Amino acid sequence: MGMVTFVDETTAGSRGDGWGLEIAEERLALRELIRRRVCHEFAEYQSKRPEVFRGLVQPEGAERTLDGYALRTPRRIDPEKQTELALRAFERNGFLVLVGDRQITELDEEMDLPLGVEVTFLKLVALVGG
């Protein structure tokens, strides 16, 4: 079992604090890695119920804030729905995924996850006017 470090970055240059998740497998498809990340975010949110949800993608009915997504009314976030939103965001180039220095381009692409590898989710910022 190894620790994978997730880091969120934007093309505007901001880099979030990394956080770790134990992954038992040495190889995993990107689709499954995203699912596990989203499920972990859901579990963290459910256990603490903060005012702002900090996750990979914006939940439906939430407003974007400087440090996450504010839910208009506190509610349970559906991890399966969030996973589907995240997978669609990846397919629509909402973010790129780098494992070490290698870009993963397909959801079903398997990647090596050596001990201590950093997985970067580079969120692409929409340009004004398109």
Side-chain angles (χ1 to χ4, degrees), residues 74-130:
R75 61 179 165 84
R76 182 179 183 275
I77 294 174
D78 181 352
E80 291 178 30
K81 193 170 204 172
Q82 278 302 107
T83 298
E84 286 304 314
L85 289 171
L87 295 174
R88 273 189 267 141
F90 176 80
E91 289 174 328
R92 294 179 180 158
N93 296 319
F95 60 89
L96 303 175
V97 177
L98 304 169
V99 177
D101 60 357
R102 180 174 163 247
Q103 181 178 346
I104 307 301
T105 58
E106 302 292 329
L107 286 171
D108 293 319
E109 184 176 347
E110 287 199 355
M111 66 202 98
D112 292 323
L113 297 171
L115 183 63
V117 71
E118 184 174 281
V119 178
T120 302
F121 289 79
L122 180 60
K123 296 180 181 184
L124 305 177
V125 178
L127 298 175
V128 174

Side-chain angles (χ1 to χ4, degrees), residues 63-75:
E63 293 180 25
R64 185 178 305 242
T65 67
L66 289 175
D67 58 349
Y69 307 104
L71 299 171
R72 293 184 186 125
T73 56
R75 61 179 165 84

Side-chain angles (χ1 to χ4, degrees), residues 11-41:
T11 54
S14 68
R15 179 178 166 94
D17 294 333
W19 55 276
L21 183 64
E22 296 242 355
I23 304 286
E25 297 86 354
E26 293 179 9
R27 287 187 61 76
L28 204 59
L30 178 59
R31 179 183 310 275
E32 179 61 17
L33 190 69
I34 290 172
R35 186 190 72 74
R36 290 188 193 184
R37 175 192 166 143
V38 170
C39 287
H40 178 79
E41 292 170 346

